[in-house]
Amino acid sequence: MQELFKKAWKKILESKNIVLAAHINPDGDALGSSLSLYPILKEIGKKVTIFNVTKPLPMYLDFLPNFDKVTDKLPKNYDLLISFDCGSFDRLGIEERPKFLINIDHHISNTNYGDINIIDPKAASSSQVVYNMLKANNVTIPKESAICIYTALVTDTGSFQYESVTDKVFEMAADLVKCGVKPDFVAKMLFQRDRLSRLRLLAKAYETIELCCEGKVAFVEVTKEMMEITGAIKDDTDTIVNSVRAIASVEVACMLREDEDGIKISLRSKNYADVSKIAVKYGGGGHIRAAGATIKDEFDFEKVKNMLKNDLKEIVKIEE
Ligand code: 5GP
Ligand code: MN
């Protein structure tokens, strides 16, 4: 990995016009990781574009330094594209292959679509991979970058709750605090600016919770109608599946959301089930404990639930 970090940094130093990009519908890690390199690359005189196809961007991340610089327009000519937290090239929303691509990620399902691929499935966040790359090259981390790296870490570890959280993660968090991050500020920005519409949506969604497989599997539904009645937006659905997983008996929680193009499934497991396999089966991807997919042109919730029940009933039987 150290070799890759050095090779990637060398390529970055050699490039003039750099695009930083993350996956469609970015989460804290995707956006935080891509924003984290912006001040560092600007400081060393690079022309930098932060690209994301999603409109509007999730507003709960608007406190991240340089959030306002994100654009959905690519420059005409650029030397290097760095992708963050993105498992496959098509999720970037970029048609043409760039001249050179550095792929920085921690998804187990990453398809290695870059010219340099720095994939660490053990990393708690893609921002940890970025952090390790900066450290390997003795780069000083400014406060603006530290806030982005730290926010990405907090969001992707469920506030330091997951198995991915190691001594290294806490060492990194401590170092980022030394770089100027105020953890209470990040926590307040992320978790104390809730929208009333989100709470109203939660109330409706929770009513649909259904348990099966001896209580080990839970389904929760979000329909278009619920979103319309409550005035909720897609961002408001982000954490529903996590709170359903919190039910004592549940190993796998699954949210089904009615989207324009089909049913979006979000899968979360607690202790032993590998949900990334199921997401991949439906054309999606993710991690062992958090994965997702969109089942295109399918709008029948019961049908999708039955398919998932079939996939999950054996998986949740095995206990470690
Ligand atoms: P969520 O359920 O919150 O949308 O996503 C959980 C994890 O699965 C994230 O790491 C996300 O990047 C990944 N994921 C969600 N939907 C898709 C998808 O359609 N394709 C791929 N490749 N990954 C997805
Ligand atoms: Mn991530």
Side-chain angles (χ1 to χ4, degrees), residues 133-152:
M133 179 180 75
L134 295 173
K135 286 283 152 184
N137 290 286
N138 299 312
V139 179
T140 307
I141 301 175
K143 181 180 171 183
E144 285 193 334
S145 301
I147 292 172
C148 295
I149 296 172
Y150 180 85
T151 300

Side-chain angles (χ1 to χ4, degrees), residues 91-143:
R91 290 196 15 104
L92 289 171
I94 294 174
E95 305 265 300
E96 227 176 287
R97 276 213 57 104
K99 282 185 205 141
F100 201 94
L101 203 166
I102 301 176
N103 168 13
I104 298 180
D105 191 19
H106 70 138
H107 287 90
I108 199 165
S109 57
N110 193 290
T111 57
N112 289 309
Y113 54 86
D115 299 295
I116 298 177
N117 299 290
I118 315 182
I119 317 301
D120 181 1
K122 287 218 167 74
S125 60
S126 292
S127 77
Q128 190 182 7
V129 187
V130 175
Y131 175 86
N132 289 340
M133 179 180 75
L134 295 173
K135 286 283 152 184
N137 290 286
N138 299 312
V139 179
T140 307
I141 301 175
K143 181 180 171 183

